[in-house]
């Protein structure tokens, strides 16, 4: 054939068949190999261990205090994060690392507009979810993910001041340098976790995460690589590569070179097991279709069952589109972190 459709199908099937054969190994032997492969595939970034967090602002809100701090995970690159602390907090609290998806940055999940003023309108697909979490009595930190809002590349803004994001230039240039945008975003998420866990208001032994869409990608990798993350909520992301990433036109930040040579996405998400995991999807999500979600969730369920942890996985398909629901996830995360050892 002149066209490449069947050839691509053949390559995918060959990769998946290899995974199935390798799964005949004891899972306990395969897990550390997959974790090491994932860490290597996303690329390494020089740490900035000496950087001290800097307070940028502190604002009293309705029922909580909102701080903005500056952090740095790698030299010469800093970023801001919002920290939300419930009023009247007594003793260290359960904490949540909140990771936004495509949009205008962390302001979109802490109830602010692009310019930093209060958003009094009906929430969008992110549902101001960091505010939903702090109102349930949890401390929350929401870092600005690079490539969105104030963290778009100056080169992109010079070309188009209304450029929605800088994912393309960041991804392509990092890949040519042997790194990935996922790797950089995860490095910053893990530095955020590290700084958050050292705050006196936060119980370092009871920190979870919640990620939406692209934040779900960052969140699952961060949870796999950081065992101290006690629980994770992934919403608007869980699927198979075949049914979503290959079937739908996605942002380039979803692609990690060589990933499928090691595992399909459900098995990689399953590396979080046996820690608690909540998977959420809208039944009409056009970019992470529900059929692929159900298939991935079934595979992840089988992984949890094989590890004797079936009770630690929750799944919710809600009547919505590509958006956060939280109808069960918010309270599940609170209950889970309160009970964390």
């Amino acid at each position: 054939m002149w066209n490449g459709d069947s050839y691509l199908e053949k390559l995918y099937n060959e990769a998946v068949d290899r995974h199935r054969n390798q799964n005949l190994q004891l899972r306990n032997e395969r897990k550390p190999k997959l974790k090491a492969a994932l860490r290597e595939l996303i690329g390494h970034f020089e740490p900035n261990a000496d950087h001290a967090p800097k307070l940028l602002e502190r604002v009293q809100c309705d029922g909580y205090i909102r701080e903005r701090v500056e952090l740095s995970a790698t030299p010469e690159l800093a970023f801001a994060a919002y920290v939300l602390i419930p009023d009247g907090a007594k003793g260290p609290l359960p904490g949540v690392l909140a990771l936004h998806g495509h949009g205008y940055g962390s302001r979109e999940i802490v109830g602010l507009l692009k310019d930093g003023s209060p958003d009094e309108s009906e929430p969008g697909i992110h549902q101001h979810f960091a505010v939903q979490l702090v109102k349930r009595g949890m401390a929350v930190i929401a870092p600005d993910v690079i490539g969105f809002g104030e963290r778009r590349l100056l080169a992109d803004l010079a070309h188009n001041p209304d450029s929605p994001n800088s994912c393309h230039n960041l991804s392509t240039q990092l890949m040519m340098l042997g790194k990935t945008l996922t790797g950089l975003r995860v490095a910053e998420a893990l530095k955020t976790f590290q700084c958050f866990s050292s705050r006196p208001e936060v119980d370092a032994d009871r920190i979870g995460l919640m990620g939406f869409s692209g934040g779900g990608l960052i969140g699952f990798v961060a949870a796999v690589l950081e065992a101290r993350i006690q629980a994770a909520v992934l919403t608007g992301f869980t699927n198979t590569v075949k049914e979503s990433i290959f079937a739908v036109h996605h942002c380039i930040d979803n692609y990690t070179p060589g990933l499928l040579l090691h595992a399909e996405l459900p098995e990689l998400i399953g590396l979080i097991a046996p820690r608690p995991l909540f998977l959420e999807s809208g039944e009409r999500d056009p970019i992470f279709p529900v059929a692929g979600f159900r298939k991935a969730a079934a595979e992840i369920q089988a992984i949890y069952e094989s590890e004797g942890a079936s009770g630690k996985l929750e799944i919710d398909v809600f009547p919505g589109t590509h958006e956060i629901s939280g109808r069960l996830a918010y309270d599940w995360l609170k209950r889970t972190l309160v009970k964390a050892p």
Side-chain angles (χ1 to χ4, degrees):
M1 288 185 67
W2 288 10
N3 299 318
D5 304 71
S6 60
Y7 179 66
L8 292 174
E9 184 76 12
K10 172 179 174 288
L11 291 178
Y12 173 83
N13 290 334
E14 287 175 349
V16 170
D17 287 343
R18 282 195 296 272
H19 305 160
R20 291 197 184 104
N21 292 334
Q22 291 166 6
N23 278 336
L24 296 176
Q25 304 175 36
L26 291 175
R27 178 164 170 77
N28 286 341
E29 294 179 6
R30 183 161 162 77
K31 278 186 75 171
K33 293 178 183 178
L34 279 183
K35 287 184 181 181
L38 181 60
R39 187 185 299 273
E40 189 67 27
L41 286 169
I42 63 175
H44 296 272
F45 293 84
E46 181 187 354
N48 193 5
D50 296 332
H51 184 272
K54 182 168 81 173
L55 180 64
L56 302 177
E57 67 176 36
R58 182 178 173 91
V59 179
Q60 178 65 55
C61 301
D62 181 17
Y64 61 95
I65 293 170
R66 184 185 72 234
E67 292 183 357
R68 202 177 197 200
V69 297
E70 184 182 81
L71 309 173
S72 176
T74 194
E76 300 186 33
L77 186 60
F79 61 97
Y82 284 106
V83 181
L84 311 183
I85 305 295
D87 283 348
K90 295 180 180 178
L93 300 171
V96 181
L97 171 59
L99 300 163
H100 65 82
H102 283 64
Y104 58 83
S106 61
R107 286 174 173 168
E108 193 163 358
I109 67 174
V110 300
L112 299 175
L113 296 171
K114 292 179 183 180
D115 62 3
S117 61
D119 183 2
E120 307 291 351
S121 62
E122 192 72 20
I125 61 175
H126 282 86
Q127 295 296 318
H128 296 168
F129 79 89
V131 177
Q132 295 293 330
L133 294 169
V134 74
K135 296 236 174 187
R136 284 166 169 78
M138 293 174 279
V140 184
I141 190 164
D144 267 329
V145 175
I146 190 167
F148 304 110
E150 295 174 286
R151 302 198 69 200
R152 289 170 291 173
L153 293 174
L154 296 178
D156 286 334
L157 295 176
H159 178 71
N160 175 13
D162 297 320
S163 179
N165 61 69
S166 290
C167 296
H168 180 83
N169 277 334
L170 282 164
S171 293
T172 53
Q173 293 185 44
L174 285 168
M175 282 191 284
M176 292 295 283
L177 293 165
K179 302 178 185 295
T180 66
L181 183 51
T182 295
L184 178 55
R185 288 172 171 173
V186 169
E188 293 189 338
L190 293 177
K191 182 57 178 280
T192 304
F193 169 86
Q194 177 187 336
C195 294
F196 190 49
S197 65
S198 68
R199 291 184 62 113
E201 310 96 332
V202 178
D203 186 339
D205 294 323
R206 293 189 292 160
I207 299 177
L209 66 77
M210 181 168 182
F212 170 61
S213 192
L217 168 58
I218 303 166
F220 108 74
V221 179
V224 168
L225 299 182
E226 177 50 81
R228 292 177 296 168
I229 294 173
Q230 297 295 318
V233 175
L234 306 179
T235 179
F237 172 73
T238 302
N239 223 279
T240 69
V241 171
K242 180 70 170 176
E243 275 80 13
S244 177
I245 308 304
F246 279 2
V248 179
H249 183 74
H250 272 279
C251 177
I252 194 171
D253 64 2
N254 284 282
Y255 301 85
T256 298
L259 188 71
L260 280 176
L261 298 179
H262 299 274
E264 243 282 11
L265 189 53
E267 187 179 7
L268 293 169
I269 294 173
L271 293 173
I272 297 171
R275 286 170 288 158
L277 175 62
F278 194 107
L279 306 175
E280 179 186 85
S281 177
E283 62 184 6
R284 301 188 310 279
D285 191 324
I287 60 175
F288 292 95
V290 71
F293 172 81
R294 292 188 192 279
K295 181 177 180 180
E299 293 182 31
I300 296 167
Q301 179 74 60
I303 291 170
Y304 270 74
E305 290 173 356
S306 73
E307 298 203 16
S310 58
K312 294 184 178 180
L313 177 67
E314 296 287 340
I315 299 166
D316 183 34
V317 176
F318 63 91
T321 180
H322 186 62
E323 59 188 327
I324 288 177
S325 165
R327 63 179 184 175
L328 302 176
Y330 297 142
D331 292 332
W332 174 90
L333 190 54
K334 173 69 179 293
R335 289 194 308 270
T336 301
L337 292 177
V338 166
K339 292 189 297 185

